[in-house]
């Protein structure tokens, strides 16, 4: 928003806002004397709206830079053309809100909900004394540059030609969203969901897609030049009409210089000889989808950045394996030995880990040294972890939304900032677990 326009807006203070918020809550509750909050074309920058219910509020063209909206509900609010640059909006609810032409540059919307929000182009014209109209914004496109949308829900949102270079879009839900012509170059979209999204003419060049699900997305004339799609989930047909010049793609299993069977046999020799003969299995950055690896010994194998979705690892040995940044959608790890495994930043949505061992791994030849399983920032949404052993595991920043954790052993686990929304924890063992900052934790 242009500086001269901002200066012309009526400045309101915190007392005025607090009184208006109270009257607005009465309006929402249908109480006598309630008045809808109108902040349109007012200057409320740096003011505090934390934990407030502001559904349907009118804030057209408002100056709200650096304001605090953490945990605030703005469902169906009209924020057309508002300036929210630098605003704190963590866990904010903006479902079905009008955000056309909004400026969210450098705003923090981590964990925010923007389902069905309208964030397409829009600009405001102001009438001048001579009768002419001039825009009060330099760019008609919504500005997302530098924004933090980590873990936000933008399903069914209308974004259109939104501008958001160098944006944190990790673990964002873009399911069925309209991103036609969006400019998101050089952003991190790791772990994000794009199923059913329209990315026609979008610029996603230089983006990092580790663990992202692009299956079923419309990629017509989408610019993926220089993007990193290793460990991303997609069908080759999805990329037919996209620009994939210098795009990093997962390696095909057919490109292996040895057969998979030979690699596994060499790996067994390497394990049994304690590294004196044979060769450690290195399957990093390979597309291994739908491979049957049940009962296979992949102890200490290198699997980072691989796509192992829809694979079977039933009763396999994966202890001490490096599985950082893998994507393993709907894979079966039931009864697998995964003690001391590295699963940081992995996406295991919908996987089965029933009776899986993710407890510490004792190191041979040492005096009681152990390696704990590392599942930091791991996506475990909708996983079945019934009777799994996660004792002492590092789960910091991970997500267990709608997961089955019945009888799961989480004793002494590090669960700092874990999202348990909708998870079944009724019979889980949480004794000694570090639960600071947990979200959605409902204990029996």
């Amino acid at each position: 928003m242009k500086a001269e326009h901002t200066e012309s807006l009526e400045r309101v203070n915190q007392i005025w806002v607090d009184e208006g918020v109270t009257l607005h809550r009465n309006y929402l509750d249908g109480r006598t004397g309630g008045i809808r909050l109108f902040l349109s074309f007012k200057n409320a920058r740096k003011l505090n709206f934390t934990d407030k219910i502001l559904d349907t509020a009118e804030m057209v063209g408002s100056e709200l830079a650096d304001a605090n909206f953490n945990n605030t509900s703005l469902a169906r609010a009209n924020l057309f053309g508002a300036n929210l640059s630098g605003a704190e909006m963590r866990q904010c609810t903006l479902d079905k809100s009008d955000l056309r032409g909004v400026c969210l540059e450098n705003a923090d919307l981590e964990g925010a909900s923007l389902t069905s929000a309208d964030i397409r182009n829009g600009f405001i014209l102001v009438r001048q004394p001579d009768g002419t109209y001039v825009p009060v914004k330099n760019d008609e496109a919504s500005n997302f540059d530098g924004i933090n949308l980590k873990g936000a829900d933008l399903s069914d949102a209308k974004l259109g030609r939104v501008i958001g270079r160098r944006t944190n879009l990790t673990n964002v839900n873009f399911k069925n969203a309209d991103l036609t012509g969006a400019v998101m170059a050089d952003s991190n979209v790791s772990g994000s969901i794009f199923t059913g999204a329209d990315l026609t003419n979008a610029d996603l060049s230089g983006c990092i897609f580790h663990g992202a699900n692009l299956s079923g997305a419309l990629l017509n004339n989408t610019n993926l030049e220089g993007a990193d799609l290793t460990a991303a989930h997609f069908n080759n047909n999805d990329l037919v009409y996209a620009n994939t010049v210098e795009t990093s793609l997962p390696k095909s299993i057919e490109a292996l210089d040895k057969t998979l069977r030979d690699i596994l046999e060499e790996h067994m020799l390497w394990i049994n000889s304690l590294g004196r003969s044979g060769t450690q299995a290195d399957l990093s950055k390979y597309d291994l989808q739908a491979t049957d690896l049940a009962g296979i010994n992949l102890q200490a194998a290198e699997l980072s950045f691989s796509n192992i979705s829809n694979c079977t690892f039933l009763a396999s040995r994966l202890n001490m394996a490096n599985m950082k940044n893998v994507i393993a959608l709907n894979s079966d790890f039931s009864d697998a030995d995964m003690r001391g495994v590295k699963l940081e930043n992995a996406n295991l949505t919908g996987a089965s880990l029933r009776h899986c061992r993710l407890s510490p791994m004792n190191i041979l030849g040492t005096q009681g040294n152990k390696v704990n399983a590392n599942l930091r920032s791991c996506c475990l949404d909708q996983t079945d972890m019934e009777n799994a052993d996660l004792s002492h595991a590092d789960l910091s920043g991970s997500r267990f939304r709608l997961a089955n954790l019945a009888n799961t052993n989480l004793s002494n686990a590090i669960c700092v900032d874990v999202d348990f929304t909708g998870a079944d924890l009724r019979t889980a063992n949480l004794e000694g677990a570090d639960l600071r900052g947990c979200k959605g934790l409902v204990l029996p």
Side-chain angles (χ1 to χ4, degrees), residues 106-163:
N106 297 317
D108 188 352
L109 283 94
E110 183 170 341
S113 178
L114 298 97
T115 59
S116 300
D118 192 344
I119 321 174
R120 293 173 296 176
N121 300 348
F123 62 95
I124 299 171
L125 298 176
V126 174
R127 191 175 189 274
Q128 301 297 296
D130 61 2
T132 61
Y133 288 84
V134 296
V136 299
K137 296 189 71 180
N138 294 318
D139 194 323
E140 65 179 45
S142 299
N143 190 339
F144 273 32
D145 280 353
I147 192 175
N148 176 19
L149 277 167
K150 180 181 179 182
D153 187 351
L154 283 151
S155 56
D156 296 299
K158 301 173 183 176
L159 287 93
R161 198 177 65 84
V162 67
I163 307 296

Side-chain angles (χ1 to χ4, degrees), residues 41-306:
F41 300 106
K42 287 184 169 53
N43 183 355
R45 63 181 300 128
K46 296 186 178 182
L47 297 187
N48 186 14
F49 298 86
T50 306
D51 297 316
K52 301 297 188 294
I53 306 295
L54 302 177
D55 298 346
T56 74
E58 286 285 339
M59 298 181 176
V60 176
S62 299
E63 173 57 47
L64 298 164
D66 301 313
N68 193 334
F69 288 93
N70 287 336
N71 300 302
T72 297
S73 181
L74 287 159
R76 304 180 306 284
N78 190 353
L79 287 151
F80 187 103
N83 181 18
L84 286 156
S85 59
E88 291 287 333
M89 306 182 77
R90 296 166 70 93
Q91 310 300 328
C92 185
T93 299
L94 290 153
D95 298 340
K96 297 183 179 180
S97 59
D98 189 344
L99 292 162
R100 287 175 295 167
V102 73
C103 179
L104 285 163
E105 185 175 4
N106 297 317
D108 188 352
L109 283 94
E110 183 170 341
S113 178
L114 298 97
T115 59
S116 300
D118 192 344
I119 321 174
R120 293 173 296 176
N121 300 348
F123 62 95
I124 299 171
L125 298 176
V126 174
R127 191 175 189 274
Q128 301 297 296
D130 61 2
T132 61
Y133 288 84
V134 296
V136 299
K137 296 189 71 180
N138 294 318
D139 194 323
E140 65 179 45
S142 299
N143 190 339
F144 273 32
D145 280 353
I147 192 175
N148 176 19
L149 277 167
K150 180 181 179 182
D153 187 351
L154 283 151
S155 56
D156 296 299
K158 301 173 183 176
L159 287 93
R161 198 177 65 84
V162 67
I163 307 296
R165 303 177 186 88
R166 302 172 302 282
T167 301
N168 185 351
L169 298 171
T170 55
N171 299 313
V172 175
N173 183 4
F174 285 112
K175 186 177 181 179
N176 299 323
D178 179 5
L179 284 155
T180 306
V183 179
M184 296 291 188
D186 301 313
S187 296
N188 189 350
V189 296
S190 296
S192 291
I193 301 170
F194 291 94
T195 52
D198 189 348
L199 296 164
T200 300
N201 296 317
D203 183 1
L204 295 167
S205 58
C207 286
I208 300 172
F209 285 89
H210 299 158
N213 189 352
L214 282 159
S215 181
L218 294 177
L219 298 169
N220 297 326
N221 201 36
T222 304
N223 186 5
L224 293 170
E225 183 175 356
D228 188 349
L229 269 70
T230 52
H233 187 66
F234 59 89
N235 297 316
N236 289 331
N237 291 335
D238 294 330
L239 303 181
V240 170
Y241 301 108
N243 176 9
T244 56
V245 176
E246 297 185 357
T247 301
S248 297
L249 298 171
K251 294 178 285 188
S252 171
I253 192 171
E254 285 77 20
L256 288 166
D257 55 0
K258 300 178 182 177
T259 66
L260 184 57
R261 180 175 180 175
D262 288 342
I263 290 173
L264 295 176
E265 288 179 353
E266 285 286 316
H267 186 69
M268 280 300 299
L269 288 173
W270 181 78
I271 293 173
N272 294 332
S273 67
L274 300 178
R276 288 187 292 270
S277 61
T279 306
Q280 179 187 21
D282 186 351
L283 297 168
S284 59
K285 299 186 179 181
Y286 276 93
D287 186 347
L288 300 167
Q289 293 182 69
T291 302
D292 187 352
L293 294 166
I296 298 297
N297 190 339
L298 284 166
Q299 180 180 358
E302 178 60 59
L303 293 161
S304 58
F305 296 97
S306 62

